[in-house]
């Protein structure tokens, strides 16, 4: 059973800001949940309704260990730009993409992309091979 943070309330950060690859500051709300098996952290970008970055991390031993791993993950992910705009349309900046699956699209670089737009982006690679990897977000470092 997951319950809200309590004993870490005073010393645990609720928000943090990071700089992305374009030099823009991005602020995140950090949520800590403690379970029998350990500590779960979620960082959601503040002020982004449909898109926005979201990161998760887990530690079996310490919320502060999870926080350190979460900070590293956020910095790594914000340092890479997967999308660019070419001829007024979004395109892959270097034939790779990493993001989060949503109900009606995906979120890449903090931007919501509807599935039909993703399909259009992929059709420019007709004949190429594709590798797809789906990972539980709190387990990836």
């Amino acid at each position: 059973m997951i319950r809200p943070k309590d004993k870490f309330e005073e010393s645990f950060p609720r928000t943090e800001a990071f700089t992305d690859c374009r030099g823009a500051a991005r602020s995140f709300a950090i949520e800590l949940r403690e379970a029998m098996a350990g500590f779960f952290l979620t960082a959601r970008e503040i002020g982004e309704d449909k898109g926005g970055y979201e990161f998760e991390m887990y530690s079996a031993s310490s919320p502060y260990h999870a926080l350190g791993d979460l900070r590293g993950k956020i910095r790594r992910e914000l340092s890479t730009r997967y999308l660019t705009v070419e001829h007024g349309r979004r395109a892959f900046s270097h034939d790779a993409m990493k993001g989060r699956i949503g109900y009606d699209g995906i979120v890449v670089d903090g931007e919501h992309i509807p599935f039909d737009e993703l399909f259009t982006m992929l059709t420019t690679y007709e004949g190429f091979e594709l590798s797809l990897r789906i990972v539980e977000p709190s387990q990836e470092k």
Side-chain angles (χ1 to χ4, degrees), residues 29-120:
I30 299 173
E31 177 186 359
L32 166 64
R33 297 179 319 270
E34 185 178 358
M36 296 293 287
F39 302 90
F40 294 88
L41 292 180
T42 303
R44 288 184 183 86
E45 189 171 7
I46 297 171
E48 298 295 327
D49 293 331
K50 193 140 181 148
Y53 285 96
E54 184 175 313
F55 302 100
E56 293 183 14
M57 193 53 63
Y58 166 79
S59 172
S61 59
S62 164
Y64 301 101
H65 182 263
L67 181 61
D69 287 346
L70 180 69
R71 288 171 172 159
K73 183 177 185 179
I74 292 171
R75 286 184 180 102
R76 258 188 326 279
E77 294 303 318
L78 292 181
S79 70
T80 303
R81 183 92 175 139
Y82 294 100
L83 299 175
T84 188
V85 176
E86 294 176 357
H87 310 291
R89 294 170 37 185
R90 284 189 273 215
F92 299 112
S93 60
H94 52 276
D95 300 334
M97 178 188 71
K98 188 172 184 180
R100 180 178 81 248
I101 301 169
Y103 173 74
D104 60 347
I106 60 171
V107 177
V108 178
D109 293 343
E111 299 177 29
H112 178 264
I113 301 172
F115 285 125
D116 58 337
E117 185 178 346
L118 174 62
F119 177 76
T120 300

